[in-house]
Amino acid sequence: MEAVLAKYENQINVFSDLLEDLPDTEEPVWILGEHYDIKTEKSELLSDVRSRLWFTYRKKFCPIGGTGPSSDAGWGCMLRCGQMILAQALVLRHLGRAWRWGKDEIPPEEYMKILHCFLDRKDSCYSIHQMAQMGVGEGKSVGEWYGPNTVAQVLKKLALFDDWNSLAVYVSMDNTVVIEDIKMLCKLSSRNRLKASPCGPSDQKGIGEALAQCATQSPGGSLGLCPHPPSSWKPLLLIIPLRMGINHINPVYIKALKECFKMPQSLGVLGGKPNLAYYFIGYIGDELIYLDPHTTQTVVEPEGNGSVDDQSYHCQRTPRRMKVMNLDPSVALGFFCKNEVDFDSWCTLVQQEILKKRTLRMFELVEKHPPHWPPFVPPTKPDVQTTGAEFIESTDKLFESEEEFEILNV
């Protein structure tokens, strides 16, 4: 079976265009909020793309659930794309947009901790194991195809168990982003974190003393100060599932879609073609640039000191492209806002560049919670001491499954 899938993936790769084949053009290339002149900044462009964490199919990992599949080849591409969009949020959170990966350089400790979150192990908080098993609560059997909305719901649930990265995940409903709800989510989550975390002041202890007592376990086993002092805003991962047409993308949405890649808060787009999920990170002209998860690699195990051979987690060939009109109409947009000022800036950009300039809006941005909607209740972490996959049965009643919004036609 793996041989058949590998042959199919190779056929996909053969027919994909390469960035090197781009025509000589004056048009800028946009990659996750950064623009490049392909004539003069090609090496910088390729370094940027190469620095994104690239998650692909893997094989020979510990069977999911103990008796399930030991490879996600053929079914896990959208889960891998979900990992990539989340990993980009974590890179922005801990390392910043200007950080670049170097093949022979010693990476920052935060980078290695981010990578550990996604290793193909049942105890990694965003592993294929955790995502596939948490998907059971969304009505998906292990080994079944996912759409972007289902992946977004899975990430939202798993993030509740992730104290180190401490993200607030908001997945929009009905093509509508509610500012009031997001601010409630980020500020309430931040207050709860202050109460629960040893990083926050408690009783008669000041913030300085609390910070001095806060230590986190690194992959190598060393202790260090809590990397994130208390704040009044929990960093936001915003995911907006959309359908931009019925069977094909409506051309009226294309300019607005491109504007999203220009925003400094951009995390890219989850989407693809029928049966093929891609992680779109930018565009040039009428073509989208993406990272392709359809390559099967052998699982990577961490070494005794916690370090990981990360060569296979960075796509070192030229990135792939596809015509924007070939995009399946169902996608999910991703954005990261590290603080409230960042979120307010994103709202302003959306109003100016997407809503005011379009007669047919890609999505709505509203100030107040719609009165005809059910009340907004921010999700809270269940009272358990481990990550979500081991508690599928106990958490089913805690999470109400969102309405299905399948993206890819399968």
Side-chain angles (χ1 to χ4, degrees):
M1 183 62 178
E2 288 184 0
V4 173
L5 291 170
K7 181 178 179 181
Y8 178 55
E9 290 156 8
N10 289 337
Q11 289 175 342
I12 295 172
N13 295 340
V14 165
F15 291 108
S16 295
D17 295 321
L18 299 180
L19 194 60
E20 291 176 341
D21 300 328
L22 283 174
D24 190 16
T25 177
E26 300 291 338
E27 291 192 76
V29 180
W30 284 92
I31 301 291
L32 300 174
E34 298 285 338
H35 66 89
Y36 297 92
D37 183 332
I38 199 167
K39 293 182 177 180
T40 61
E41 300 176 302
K42 185 173 181 179
S43 61
E44 291 86 348
L45 165 62
L46 294 177
S47 175
D48 191 351
V49 175
R50 203 161 37 237
S51 298
R52 303 313 110 210
L53 279 166
W54 178 49
F55 298 116
T56 71
Y57 291 152
R58 294 279 173 172
K59 60 182 179 180
K60 299 183 179 180
F61 50 67
C62 179
I64 296 174
T67 59
S70 58
S71 172
D72 63 312
W75 61 271
C77 56
M78 185 57 78
L79 292 177
R80 297 300 185 179
C81 291
Q83 288 180 326
M84 285 190 271
I85 202 170
L86 175 60
Q88 178 59 19
L90 301 188
V91 167
L92 293 178
R93 168 127 171 72
H94 298 287
L95 302 174
R97 184 64 182 88
W99 174 79
R100 294 294 181 267
W101 176 78
K103 186 175 181 179
D104 300 316
E105 297 177 7
I106 299 176
E109 180 182 354
E110 292 85 356
Y111 162 82
M112 196 56 65
K113 291 180 73 172
I114 292 171
L115 186 54
H116 268 253
C117 293
F118 298 94
L119 295 182
D120 299 298
R121 302 160 58 93
K122 63 181 181 179
D123 57 349
S124 295
C125 56
Y126 301 112
S127 66
I128 193 73
H129 299 68
Q130 296 278 11
M131 295 184 72
Q133 290 191 263
M134 187 61 84
V136 174
E138 293 297 312
K140 292 292 185 182
S141 301
V142 175
E144 192 174 348
W145 286 85
Y146 283 63
N149 184 64
T150 306
V151 170
Q153 301 299 337
V154 166
L155 293 177
K156 181 173 71 172
K157 294 177 182 181
L158 288 177
L160 296 174
F161 300 90
D162 179 10
D163 292 328
W164 178 62
N165 292 301
S166 189
L167 294 179
V169 181
Y170 179 92
V171 182
S172 68
M173 295 175 56
D174 295 337
N175 296 355
T176 303
V177 177
V178 183
I179 296 174
E180 178 182 51
D181 293 348
I182 288 178
K183 294 202 171 187
M184 179 192 299
L185 172 66
C186 292
K187 293 181 179 181
L188 179 62
S189 298
S190 179
R191 289 197 295 271
N192 289 341
R193 178 170 171 246
L194 272 173
K195 294 177 182 178
S197 172
C199 297
S202 60
D203 301 327
Q204 302 301 316
K205 297 177 182 178
I207 292 179
E209 183 180 351
L211 285 174
Q213 292 185 357
C214 175
T216 56
Q217 188 74 25
S218 73
S222 61
L223 294 175
L225 285 178
C226 175
H228 305 300
S231 67
S232 59
W233 177 273
K234 197 170 185 179
L236 170 68
L237 168 58
L238 169 60
I239 303 177
I240 309 174
L242 301 173
R243 189 164 189 92
M244 301 187 296
I246 301 176
N247 297 317
H248 303 281
I249 187 171
N250 188 331
V252 74
Y253 294 118
I254 290 177
K255 287 186 178 180
L257 180 65
K258 290 180 178 181
E259 287 296 331
C260 293
F261 289 110
K262 295 181 180 181
M263 296 178 180
Q265 299 86 357
S266 175
L267 293 177
V269 175
L270 301 179
K273 301 177 182 179
N275 298 353
L276 297 173
Y278 300 134
Y279 173 42
F280 296 96
I281 58 174
Y283 78 91
I284 179 170
D286 63 351
E287 294 179 318
L288 299 177
I289 298 171
Y290 64 91
L291 294 178
D292 187 353
H294 299 92
T295 295
T296 303
Q297 304 185 86
T298 302
V299 66
V300 174
E301 295 289 349
E303 299 176 7
N305 61 358
S307 64
V308 176
D309 182 356
D310 64 344
Q311 300 295 310
S312 65
Y313 290 102
H314 295 273
C315 186
Q316 298 177 55
R317 58 175 179 254
T318 49
R320 306 192 182 283
R321 309 176 351 258
M322 64 174 279
K323 296 288 186 181
V324 66
M325 286 303 297
N326 291 335
L327 181 67
D328 189 275
S330 292
V331 300
L333 315 179
F335 302 94
F336 176 75
C337 301
K338 192 168 185 177
N339 51 49
E340 189 171 7
V341 172
D342 204 15
F343 176 64
D344 290 339
S345 174
W346 178 83
C347 292
T348 300
L349 285 172
V350 169
Q351 289 284 359
Q352 293 176 348
E353 303 301 331
I354 294 181
L355 301 184
K356 291 183 178 180
K357 294 183 178 181
R358 316 287 174 231
T359 55
L360 186 59
R361 296 178 174 182
M362 189 164 57
F363 62 88
E364 295 290 341
L365 178 66
V366 298
E367 188 70 38
K368 297 294 183 179
H369 186 85
H372 59 283
W373 282 15
F376 177 70
V377 181
T380 57
K381 177 181 178 180
D383 188 18
V384 294
Q385 299 301 315
T386 186
T387 51
E390 295 151 312
F391 288 86
I392 295 298
E393 293 183 3
S394 64
T395 58
D396 277 347
K397 296 180 180 179
L398 294 170
F399 300 115
E400 293 185 4
S401 180
E402 301 287 346
E403 181 181 355
E404 277 300 303
F405 190 101
E406 278 312 312
I407 304 303
L408 300 181
N409 300 319
V410 297

